[in-house]
Amino acid sequence: MAAPAGRPQRADDAGPPPHDIMEQAAQWYALLVSGEAGAAERAQWQAWLASHPHHRRAWAYVESVSQRVLAPLQNSPDPRLLADKVHAVDARTRARRRALAAIGAVAGTGLLGWAGWSRTPLGGLVASWTADYRAGFGDIRAFTLQDGSRIWLNAASAADVDMDGGLRRVVLAAGEILVSTRHGDPRPFVVDTPQGRLRALGTRFTVRREPGRTFLAVYEGAVAIRTAGNATAGVIPAGQQARFGPDRIDAAAPADPAREAWTRGELIAWDLSLAEIVDELGRYYPGHISLAPDVARRRVFGTFPLRDVDGALAMLAEAASLRLRRPLPWWISIEAGPAAVPPRS
Amino acid sequence: MSASPFPYPSPPSVGLLYTDHHAWLRTWLQRRLGNAADAADLAHEAFLRLILKPAPRGFDSKLEARAYLRAMAQGMCINLWRRREIEQAWLDTLAAQPPAFAPSAERQAIVLQALQEIAALLSELPPKAAQAFLMSAVCGMTAAEVGQELGVSSRMVRKYVAQAMLRCMQAQAMQTAAALRQAAAP
């Protein structure tokens, strides 16, 4: 009996998650629903999710099964009675099948990944618990530095500040920071990220860490960038934003003033995708927010309160005709469907 | 009455198989199901499957072809009975609810579809894994509670649940792939 020709294994992002990763995702699911997972296990699971795109794609399958097949049954009038009856049917089916010489016709399994999407806020934070300035989930904090400059830390963000040398130096360890520098101090004001150094030229700007990159938006003055890898330099003027990696600075684009709104506890969505909004809200929510892939690209307009994620999600559900589910108390799942908001936990 | 053991001189086409065996298969199914319409449907489906997925070794004789078709039809009967019984299980569950409870037709169809899918998947798993998954994933019982009912450790329950979830994920992946293929077809 000839084995079917092997499917080429692809390691790139579009390839299927390998079998052992699918297995790991299933094991995480089993642990999370077992009632035996505490905060430590959940943190490990989030770290697992964050550590590789394959993990997130495999988890997307868990989510689709959970949304498409399990949720309707969990929400049925009497899940226990239903489960007992399904079990009885299953037992009869098995008895019938035992009497049958089965045909060994097993369909080949072509695992095809889809762009699963899921937010994992914990990765950067774990490394930043020792930072000088921190803002936890759901927290937006403002600090006045020794020189009179002001910084706002967005949720799930952390920074170290060093004012002792000839520099006013802020190291962004995680998340996002808005800086409003104090004029008159002769020492240069810099913000460091793994991708490079930003030097304020009298100014107000936000810096945000993204995987492998740094995002910069300048609202007043200008900011000079010097990349860490090859010292590429560039200046971003007020009203512009840009991303950079260790070796190159992307072309600047007009800055979105709404990006500053978080300092007031607001998220202003002007034609943002649902994925972007949930990504943002996830910074203010200590649990897990998952988003069904089929609605991730919907565009949304509106202003949402950042200090009340439950409220923001309820508004979102109503505005975009979505359904919110809570498979577990710390897990909110967003799906297509008529607006129905579960009770707050 | 019984199939003649005449060998096929060359691999038979589906057309030839249909001429030789369709009427016989329909009669066989009708005896088994007691319903002419169901029998006609399943006989039709059996030949469709034969077109989409020919028997791996082909057939050397009529006898062989009939043995294969009979085994296939038996499997189809078992699936049909399962689908009917699942539908009945859902109707019985609904009937057990207070009279005021009436989910919309759309909602009912969603639940029934989910039930059919899960029943089909569970039947491929070891019985205890199937049961553990129902209790844990559908009823929301903890691993300790499930373990107590099934007489196994909670660690074992987690293993069962993971096994069942993996099977569901694979089915989901196949479905997604099939949907994409269909979408890509002209």
Side-chain angles (χ1 to χ4, degrees):
Chain A
M1 198 138 138
R7 211 169 267 276
Q9 288 295 314
R10 293 189 300 174
D12 63 294
D13 277 3
H19 180 79
D20 58 328
I21 305 292
M22 294 283 266
E23 228 170 2
Q24 285 172 24
Q27 283 160 2
W28 276 117
Y29 169 82
L31 176 64
L32 292 172
V33 300
S34 70
E36 288 163 8
E41 283 82 8
R42 293 212 294 274
Q44 281 167 16
W45 163 67
Q46 296 229 315
W48 176 84
L49 263 187
S51 65
H52 200 283
H54 278 161
H55 297 179
R56 290 190 287 281
R57 273 210 308 287
W59 188 256
Y61 284 106
V62 174
E63 306 228 335
S64 349
V65 170
S66 159
Q67 285 161 12
R68 211 176 47 77
V69 185
L70 299 178
L73 304 183
Q74 288 157 353
N75 299 332
S76 68
D78 189 346
R80 189 66 217 249
L81 179 63
L82 201 51
D84 284 347
K85 287 184 181 295
V86 171
H87 173 62
V89 174
D90 189 45
R92 283 197 292 277
T93 302
R94 283 169 200 278
R96 287 177 192 132
R97 211 172 261 169
R98 274 196 292 274
L100 172 72
I103 327 163
V106 179
T109 311
L111 291 187
L112 207 83
W114 76 25
W117 191 91
S118 150
R119 150 122 199 118
T120 52
L122 215 74
L125 257 200
V126 175
S128 63
W129 276 332
T130 56
D132 298 340
Y133 296 90
R134 269 204 328 265
F137 291 107
D139 229 8
I140 300 158
R141 302 181 67 176
F143 303 94
T144 303
L145 304 181
Q146 192 191 321
D147 71 326
S149 294
R150 300 264 292 157
I151 61 173
W152 288 260
L153 279 180
N154 204 340
S157 301
D160 286 307
V161 176
D162 176 10
M163 295 266 170
D164 294 340
L167 280 177
R168 294 174 286 166
R169 177 169 180 252
V170 174
V171 180
L172 181 58
E176 180 168 19
I177 190 175
L178 171 76
V179 179
S180 181
T181 56
R182 167 87 183 269
H183 300 288
D185 193 310
R187 295 173 296 172
F189 191 108
V190 301
V191 177
D192 286 341
T193 73
Q195 287 78 41
R197 167 165 292 186
L198 301 159
R199 183 169 163 176
L201 308 169
T203 197
R204 183 177 169 89
F205 59 99
T206 61
V207 183
R208 172 175 181 144
R209 284 187 54 172
E210 297 176 350
R213 316 185 55 71
T214 298
F215 170 87
L216 164 72
V218 183
Y219 307 111
E220 284 173 35
V223 173
I225 303 173
R226 195 178 169 82
T227 62
N230 58 359
T232 301
V235 174
I236 305 298
Q240 296 279 298
Q241 64 184 36
R243 287 185 166 77
F244 62 93
D247 297 316
R248 60 166 283 172
I249 303 170
D250 294 349
D256 176 5
R259 282 215 50 82
E260 238 189 317
W262 61 263
T263 57
R264 302 188 302 272
E266 282 177 350
L267 168 65
I268 298 175
W270 180 253
D271 195 23
L272 286 181
S273 72
L274 206 47
E276 288 168 305
I277 292 187
V278 170
D279 193 23
E280 197 64 40
L281 289 176
R283 294 170 174 270
Y284 303 89
Y285 182 69
H288 179 63
I289 305 178
S290 67
L291 182 62
D294 53 337
V295 295
R297 287 187 176 175
R298 282 200 197 164
R299 316 300 295 183
V300 177
F301 299 81
T303 303
F304 302 95
L306 286 174
R307 295 180 203 275
D308 174 14
V309 172
D310 285 299
L313 288 175
M315 286 164 64
L316 202 56
E318 203 169 307
S321 190
L322 300 165
R323 208 155 56 86
L324 301 183
R325 267 195 321 120
R326 290 180 193 273
L328 293 167
W330 43 270
W331 174 0
I332 300 178
S333 171
I334 305 176
E335 301 151 22
V341 181
R344 292 187 182 195
S345 58
Chain B
M1 175 67 204
S2 77
S4 61
F6 286 165
Y8 283 118
S10 59
S13 67
V14 173
L16 181 59
L17 288 171
Y18 190 89
T19 315
D20 282 353
H21 307 293
H22 180 262
W24 162 82
L25 183 64
R26 208 169 66 177
T27 313
W28 187 91
L29 280 165
Q30 190 168 338
R31 256 204 328 271
R32 199 140 164 82
L33 296 170
N35 176 319
D38 285 346
D41 283 352
L42 287 198
H44 186 69
E45 202 187 317
F47 280 93
L48 268 183
R49 281 200 204 176
L50 214 50
I51 293 170
L52 293 174
K53 195 173 169 52
R57 282 176 25 249
F59 305 118
D60 294 333
S61 68
K62 283 190 179 182
L63 198 65
E64 229 179 83
R66 284 200 177 178
Y68 185 86
L69 282 168
R70 193 187 299 114
M72 188 200 271
Q74 262 163 348
M76 291 166 78
C77 286
I78 290 173
N79 288 345
L80 180 70
W81 288 324
R82 190 193 61 225
R83 285 202 298 275
R84 296 268 156 87
E85 288 183 6
I86 286 290
E87 202 172 333
Q88 193 57 48
W90 168 233
L91 293 176
D92 290 348
T93 306
L94 271 183
Q97 304 314 309
F101 183 87
S104 69
E106 190 200 354
R107 186 85 213 137
Q108 290 203 38
I110 290 173
V111 175
L112 187 55
Q113 169 66 24
L115 272 181
Q116 297 289 15
E117 276 192 53
I118 206 130
L121 290 170
L122 290 182
S123 72
E124 298 168 20
L125 292 167
K128 280 205 173 165
Q131 227 179 332
F133 191 61
L134 279 175
M135 290 176 171
S136 170
V138 175
C139 304
M141 292 163 66
T142 66
E145 289 164 349
V146 175
Q148 199 149 33
E149 285 219 16
L150 297 184
V152 298
S153 67
S154 71
R155 194 186 159 80
M156 199 63 207
V157 170
R158 285 208 324 245
K159 214 182 125 190
Y160 285 147
V161 171
Q163 187 184 7
M165 178 45 94
L166 181 62
R167 185 70 201 85
C168 292
M169 290 161 72
Q170 287 167 337
Q172 176 75 41
M174 271 200 276
Q175 251 188 34
T176 310
L180 287 180
R181 269 199 306 276
Q182 206 164 34

